[in-house]
Amino acid sequence: MNLPQLPIVMPPADFPIHIPEMMHPLVVHFVVALPFIIILLELINLFAKKRSIGVISFVLLLLLSGIIYAALLTGLADAKAIETTLGADAKALLTQHKLYGVYLFYASILLVIFKLLAVMIRGTATRVLMLILLILFAAGTLATAKRGGELVYRYAAHVHTPAAAPAPVKAPAQKAEPAAASEAEEMKSQAVESSTEKTEAAETVTETTPAAESAPATTTDKALGETPSDKGKNTEKNTSN
């Protein structure tokens, strides 16, 4: 459903204070939620008929008008920041979304006035009519919010794309250090030296073995108390005999 673009007076939006960007999404959620809370209160008051519930509903309607006005101001601030970056279709949708917001603001003021009349009249018919108007108003807020969501999710309005992360730079493969080669050569030389030492040790053992074998004979001669001269004499005696 598209509303006609009637000649309508824009509410005052020029203020000396600066309205920061990206505040519009924080405000519009209250604009969507509050009408349904007021509808629930009016539905309860249709059967309870409590004056206190009617007062709370009236206060919430005043608060709703102020929040819609804040949403309109923050939306205009965001629109100025992104209007030059949008295409033709997105600009047309932005204009329609803005028009819906202005209609909602004036409709909220009419709801406040009608609520005052309903409190003064105090009739069931006026309460039912008030409830119907609130339901229509809530449907209008949903339609406005739908167009705002299309601006963000379809046309990426006011969505900042993060910069692509730079590709990681691969470190060049490092050549083998000469120290590793020198260590390998040292290990080889140590292995050769150890094998040489083992060979020399084996030769030393071989040379010392005959001396070790002659040692027991000498020891035996000493044990018998014979000298070489005695051995010669004994040999001569045996020969003469």
Side-chain angles (χ1 to χ4, degrees):
M1 181 183 68
N2 296 327
L3 294 178
Q5 296 188 12
L6 301 175
I8 189 170
V9 179
M10 286 287 294
D14 296 330
F15 293 98
I17 60 174
H18 172 69
I19 299 175
E21 297 179 13
M22 299 300 292
M23 293 295 295
H24 186 66
L26 300 176
V27 180
V28 293
H29 290 85
F30 294 99
V31 177
V32 177
L34 273 177
F36 291 95
I37 297 175
I38 298 172
I39 288 172
L40 182 61
L41 290 175
E42 290 292 332
L43 187 62
I44 294 172
N45 199 30
L46 187 62
F47 302 97
K49 296 179 181 180
K50 297 290 184 178
R51 185 178 179 85
S52 57
I53 298 176
V55 172
I56 295 172
S57 176
F58 177 73
V59 172
L60 289 179
L61 279 172
L62 287 176
L63 181 62
L64 178 62
S65 296
I67 293 176
I68 292 176
Y69 184 58
L72 187 61
L73 294 180
T74 54
L76 291 174
D78 285 353
K80 290 179 182 178
I82 65 171
E83 197 167 6
T84 57
T85 62
L86 299 177
D89 295 339
K91 285 183 180 179
L93 186 61
L94 178 62
T95 302
Q96 194 177 41
H97 180 61
K98 187 190 303 182
L99 184 64
Y100 271 58
V102 174
Y103 285 158
L104 283 178
F105 173 67
Y106 287 116
S108 65
I109 294 176
L110 292 177
L111 282 176
V112 172
I113 295 172
F114 190 83
K115 179 62 179 176
L116 286 173
L117 295 175
V119 170
M120 288 187 294
I121 295 173
R122 292 183 182 180
T124 304
T126 55
R127 289 194 180 96
V128 173
L129 183 58
M130 182 68 190
L131 188 59
I132 293 172
L133 292 176
L134 283 171
I135 293 173
L136 293 175
F137 182 84
T141 58
L142 292 177
T144 307
K146 180 178 179 296
R147 282 156 177 78
E150 289 179 358
L151 282 171
V152 175
Y153 294 106
R154 179 180 296 180
Y155 299 102
H158 224 307
V159 176
H160 300 285
T161 304
V169 179
K170 294 183 178 180
Q174 296 180 354
K175 296 182 179 180
E177 297 181 356
S182 62
E183 289 178 0
E185 292 178 358
E186 289 179 2
M187 291 176 66
K188 289 181 179 180
S189 61
Q190 289 178 1
V192 172
E193 290 177 0
S194 62
S195 63
T196 304
E197 290 176 358
K198 289 180 180 179
T199 303
E200 291 177 355
E203 292 176 355
T204 304
V205 171
T206 304
E207 291 175 357
T208 56
T209 300
E213 291 176 355
S214 60
T218 307
T219 306
T220 305
D221 295 338
K222 288 181 179 180
L224 295 173
E226 295 181 352
T227 60
S229 59
D230 294 335
K231 285 183 179 182
K233 290 178 180 182
N234 293 329
T235 303
E236 290 175 356
K237 289 178 180 180
N238 293 331
T239 302
S240 61
N241 293 330

